[in-house]
Amino acid sequence: MIKKEMKYKAYQVHNFKTIPQLTRMSDEEKINIEVVGNVLPFKVNNYVIDELIDWDNYLDDPIFRLTFPQKEMLHPQDFATMREALDANSSKDELKLIADSIRTKLNPHPAGQMEMNVPQYKGEKLEGIQHKYEQTLLFFPSSGQTCHSYCTFCFRWAQFVGMDGLKFAMRETEQLMGYLEEHQEVTDVLFTGGDPMIMSFKVFQQYIEPFLDPNNKTNIQTIRIGTKALGFWPYKFITDKDAQDFLDLFKRIVESGINLSFMAHFNHINELKTDAVREAVRLIRATGAQIRTQSPLIKNINDNSDMWAEMWREQVNLGMIPYYMFVERDTGARHYFEVPLEKTWEIFQQAYQQVSGVCRTVRGPSMSCTPGKVEILGIKEIPLHGKMEKVFVLQMIQGRNPDWVNRPFFAKYDPEARWMDDLKPAFGDKFFFDDELNALIEEAYLDSQSA
């Protein structure tokens, strides 16, 4: 039964100890949350707390681990340094210096995002835009640079910690529209963040209206919204005061001839079990919008093939389209979350073979790395150096150069490899795209030096 009204309430480091369910925790567990929460983003809301977490088994609950910082997310020395500073009642400025020194070791912007993805317009860098792939542009509206709750694995954690130079944001749409008019190859704009669905209707509408103007000169055919709202605050589309306004706007987008796709982040089947999320999905789909689902495979949260198969089936049953399984990115608390590529592929394959064709729209496992989205097709034995040897079979789903896409290539088998940078070519001393990629990296470096 959907409540008539659900008031949003957020908890962060400064007030999380007021959460009623935390009476079950020991003082040491609360201290651990506080220590890690002073380095990595921490924010959770009452929906997640009251409707998603099993507090009778919270230590093993996947949504608890998804939203509450765990001691092991920091390396032991870094944890000890921050705890000592807190125990010494260090000032906010001192704590920030210590936190920032730890954060810089966590690769806050992986895959060349800052150096290679930020375009220029009329001689000015567009800090609120990333344009990595020809057809798709990412837009970071300045009003959408937070979330209803934070995922502990988030690869965009640097957006939320207040470090100078680590945040993508753009206040106005004028430069965005100008850039899109000049780049007719762009057919898809992805509103991302943070979470665009954190915005009020009036603010979000200001970003959308230029695309609905019949006189706009862009070639945008699809608007995507990257959001975790369905998993973390489905009441956004049910009982929030501007819920109907959002639904009406979604319908206007679709009726204008633009495809509207929600890129919904669901990390576990438990996020699909509440009445609220089911109703929110129904309402959004009724506007004509599509909902595509994606998640990384994350150790300690969803590294289970049976769960993935169940989640894909339930998403299809609710009318959503399974879209991506990602490899956990090389950033943040990666040592806590990452899974070897071999095991990642095995989990994907074992889940994939359990579902019917309607669920097999999902692609992956995919690494969003510097050259592009590299998909692990499998592990195969081939004749190499006079004997049969295992290799990883890979291809790009997306590439910085479109010509790199859908061309199989091979990497030496490494059971410990967790990311593209761990892999070495199976043939020769470089991958087929390396020379061109290195030239692009050098070009980006020279541009940054001359800026």
Side-chain angles (χ1 to χ4, degrees):
M1 185 74 177
I2 302 297
K3 298 178 182 179
K4 290 185 177 179
E5 183 178 359
M6 182 75 165
K7 187 175 181 181
Y8 175 82
K9 182 174 177 58
Y11 298 89
Q12 296 178 274
V13 170
H14 69 279
N15 69 339
F16 81 94
K17 292 179 183 177
T18 65
I19 297 172
Q21 289 88 338
L22 263 61
T23 56
R24 302 165 183 252
M25 284 188 185
S26 68
D27 290 341
E28 187 70 14
E29 288 173 323
K30 294 174 188 175
I31 290 171
N32 292 344
I33 292 172
E34 184 175 10
V35 172
V36 180
N38 268 275
V39 178
L40 298 173
F42 171 38
K43 180 181 179 182
V44 66
N45 68 51
N46 48 323
Y47 169 74
V48 174
I49 292 166
D50 295 338
E51 299 195 42
L52 296 185
I53 295 175
D54 176 8
W55 288 98
D56 290 331
N57 189 34
Y58 69 91
L59 289 177
D60 294 322
D61 185 87
I63 309 302
F64 178 77
R65 290 175 173 172
L66 178 63
T67 52
F68 280 80
Q70 308 294 306
K71 179 180 180 180
E72 296 78 12
M73 290 175 186
L74 293 184
H75 291 288
Q77 184 56 55
D78 292 331
F79 182 91
T81 299
M82 178 53 75
R83 177 159 186 175
E84 289 170 7
L86 288 169
D87 288 344
N89 292 317
S90 300
S91 68
K92 287 185 179 180
D93 289 342
E94 290 171 328
L95 291 175
K96 187 177 186 307
L97 284 173
I98 293 169
D100 285 353
S101 70
I102 298 172
R103 292 163 181 159
T104 56
K105 295 185 282 186
L106 301 178
N107 191 22
H109 274 304
Q113 292 182 80
M114 296 292 283
E115 301 85 1
M116 300 183 68
N117 296 357
V118 180
Q120 293 191 7
Y121 175 65
K122 294 184 177 180
E124 180 181 350
K125 290 189 75 173
L126 301 181
E127 300 292 351
I129 287 177
Q130 289 188 46
H131 190 188
K132 182 177 181 180
Y133 308 125
E134 273 196 5
Q135 295 84 12
T136 306
L137 181 140
L138 277 61
F139 178 50
F140 295 75
S142 60
S143 299
Q145 299 310 303
T146 185
C147 296
H148 293 99
S149 284
Y150 294 151
C151 299
T152 45
F153 70 84
C154 182
F155 79 91
R156 292 213 177 109
W157 61 271
Q159 298 285 99
F160 313 126
V161 295
M163 287 183 73
D164 292 341
L166 293 188
K167 190 171 186 177
F168 287 103
M170 189 175 186
R171 183 167 298 279
E172 306 296 339
T173 58
E174 183 178 341
Q175 288 177 310
L176 169 66
M177 299 303 288
Y179 182 83
L180 289 173
E181 287 177 11
E182 286 190 359
H183 291 267
Q184 293 291 305
E185 75 275 15
V186 180
T187 59
D188 294 35
V189 59
L190 169 59
F191 284 77
T192 184
D195 192 329
M197 290 294 93
I198 202 76
M199 289 188 273
S200 70
F201 170 74
K202 288 184 178 180
V203 174
F204 182 72
Q205 181 185 32
Q206 293 174 5
Y207 290 112
I208 293 296
E209 286 294 346
F211 294 99
L212 302 182
D213 183 345
N215 297 316
N216 95 78
K217 298 180 177 62
T218 73
N219 189 31
I220 294 302
Q221 299 166 34
T222 296
I223 291 175
R224 307 186 200 178
I225 300 173
T227 181
K228 182 73 181 176
L230 283 170
F232 278 170
W233 189 249
Y235 296 103
K236 174 75 175 179
F237 312 103
I238 307 172
T239 59
D240 278 10
K241 62 181 181 181
D242 52 7
Q244 190 59 50
D245 293 328
F246 270 100
L247 296 172
D248 291 344
L249 179 60
F250 298 158
K251 188 174 182 180
R252 279 185 59 208
I253 293 171
V254 174
E255 290 178 346
S256 76
I258 295 175
N259 173 57
L260 177 61
S261 288
F262 268 69
M263 319 310 290
H265 295 249
F266 290 109
N267 306 120
H268 198 276
I269 183 66
N270 291 354
E271 296 174 292
L272 298 171
K273 292 181 177 179
T274 69
D275 291 339
V277 70
R278 291 166 176 267
E279 178 64 5
V281 167
R282 185 189 70 80
L283 291 170
I284 291 171
R285 290 190 63 242
T287 69
Q290 293 181 339
I291 303 175
R292 297 177 182 268
T293 63
Q294 55 192 32
S295 170
L297 190 150
I298 324 157
K299 186 174 68 175
N300 299 308
I301 293 175
N302 63 17
D303 52 337
N304 179 285
S305 58
D306 293 340
M307 192 288 300
W308 278 90
E310 183 185 1
M311 182 168 67
W312 290 336
R313 284 194 295 266
E314 185 61 21
Q315 288 166 355
V316 168
N317 291 342
L318 293 173
M320 296 183 280
I321 305 168
Y323 188 54
Y324 270 125
M325 175 199 276
F326 289 113
V327 177
E328 170 60 8
R329 284 197 178 187
D330 57 336
T331 183
R334 63 175 296 189
H335 63 279
Y336 182 81
F337 295 114
E338 63 188 356
V339 177
L341 297 181
E342 180 178 28
K343 183 178 179 183
T344 298
W345 174 72
E346 288 174 351
I347 291 172
F348 178 86
Q349 184 199 37
Q350 290 164 10
Y352 198 78
Q353 65 190 19
Q354 293 184 49
V355 298
S356 72
V358 294
C359 297
R360 293 183 179 178
T361 52
V362 66
R363 295 179 292 178
S366 171
M367 294 177 278
S368 292
C369 49
T370 303
K373 285 188 172 73
V374 177
E375 181 181 20
I376 306 167
L377 294 177
I379 298 171
K380 184 173 177 60
E381 283 195 349
I382 62 172
L384 191 63
H385 309 305
K387 59 180 180 179
M388 299 300 290
E389 291 190 16
K390 286 182 178 181
V391 295
F392 283 105
V393 185
L394 311 165
Q395 72 173 8
M396 287 194 205
I397 298 172
Q398 280 278 24
R400 289 188 182 274
N401 180 346
D403 188 52
W404 299 349
V405 173
N406 212 32
R407 293 173 59 178
F409 61 102
F410 304 91
K412 293 180 180 178
Y413 172 73
D414 180 353
E416 299 301 317
R418 286 163 164 76
W419 192 247
M420 184 66 190
D421 293 348
D422 299 328
L423 298 177
K424 301 184 184 304
F427 305 103
D429 58 357
K430 56 188 175 183
F431 294 115
F432 75 90
F433 53 83
D434 276 346
D435 286 342
E436 191 173 353
L437 178 62
N438 290 334
L440 291 172
I441 292 172
E442 177 66 18
E443 181 183 352
Y445 172 78
L446 294 174
D447 287 346
S448 68
Q449 294 298 101
S450 62

